[in-house]
Amino acid sequence: MSDDDFTTDHECAAELDASDPMADVRAGFHIPLAPDGSESVYLVGNSLGAAPRRTTEYVQAELNRWATLGVHGHHTGELAWEPYHELLTAPMARIVGGLDSEVVVMNALTVNLHLFMVSFYRPTISRHKIIIEQHAFPSDHFAVESQIRQRGFDPSKSMVVLSPRPGEQTLRRDDILAAIADNADELALVMLPGVQYYTGQVFDMAAITAAAHAVGAAAGFDLAHAVGNIELDLHGWGVDFAAWCTYKYLNGGPGGAGGAFVHETHIDDESLPKLLGWWGTAKATRFEMGTTYEPIPTVESWQLSNAPILSMAALRASLDIISDVGGIKEMRRKSVRLIRYTDFLLERLLGDRIECITPTAIDERGCQFALRVVAPGADGRRVFEDLEAAGIACDWRYPDVIRVAPVPLYNSFTDVHRFVTTLAGLLP
Ligand SMILES: Cc1ncc(COP(=O)(O)O)c(C=O)c1O
């Protein structure tokens, strides 16, 4: 069925599911429950991805190894804990478009942003500004603000905060590029999201990176909402650094380990300031317990501590599923179809009772929809609560947005149909 043949009836959703080559993948996940105990329509993978069924097996294997091997688990067998994070490197690198030497799973998102700002934000009296956006995730805002203060600068002078034009919801690409050019001589770093957490807008990371480099600044990205959602080419785009979490579209579980990228051009640069820990020093000599630091010749030299194995085992389970389905390219293929179907139903069944502030162009959006209830007499927060009560798991983002994200791994076209028809029934 082509996109032009979509219809609003349930049979169309069933037919789309029947012909979906990824339909079986859903059976590999636990779908969280609705208040009445039935399976929910789980549309909050943009916040916390659903649990893969095989996660239990992967985590249990590590619990068993701990129980039976104790400390020898660090060095025994194919799953030895000391190099365990290396098992995640190649699959993760494929998802973000990085070389294996540029990608590592370590720490958590905000921690990694700080570690990279230590290296890539090197303010001088003349060049000290960081560009962020007005609706940056608060953790990013705090991280940038505190880095600026830490270096003895004043956030009110060094933080350039970009806002959409009056009456607009998303930042225009050309306005971002113009802001970079306007601050050319004073700009040290551009730190923006790959996908904006509130609106779902995709930023043009290639163009932003090129513009930052053209004025002598670095470009770093928070990929929390981009990784596992859209295709990325961090190496090709020349991005200096990026950090992401793994608990959203990568289904790594609550508080899961973070992901990190540093472009290969920086890996061997010993002039970069760096916070050091024993997990960043040469693997061959680490356990000789010397105090001469020899950086691992990959992004692993930014590692500080030994890895959280249980959390990495959970992530490995999910990355194996992603590899099995053919990777991010295949996921995005289904995602685009889900997006188009959702657009179609929203337009036909909701019309102007809902405003979608997510960009409409497919290359400017991932799978998240940011919806505002604009039907006269309807209260958006109340509608969100009623959706939840009806078994549609979504989220509310202050001040007035309902976010829903049909994800390709476990959401079906029937899920989308149930969501939109339920929403239509709740609105006057
Ligand atoms: C865009 C964005 N940045 C940063 C964070 C903070 O992540 P963490 O708590 O893993 O550091 C989140 C968490 O959801 C996020 O969505």
Side-chain angles (χ1 to χ4, degrees), residues 108-111 137 139-140 197 222 224-225 245 247-248:
L109 169 51
T110 309
V111 176
F137 196 83
S139 202
D140 298 30
Y197 84 95
D222 172 342
H225 289 261
C245 53
Y247 42 77
K248 298 179 188 293

Side-chain angles (χ1 to χ4, degrees), residues 201-212:
Q201 177 187 13
V202 173
F203 285 77
D204 187 340
M205 290 167 264
I208 292 167
T209 301

Side-chain angles (χ1 to χ4, degrees), residues 1 9 25 28 42 49 117 175 182 259 278 290 299 304-305 337 394:
M1 182 190 305
D9 49 74
V25 182
Y42 193 72
M117 278 192 278
D175 288 352
D182 288 349
W278 75 318
V299 64
L304 299 176
S305 298
R337 190 105 161 116
C394 48

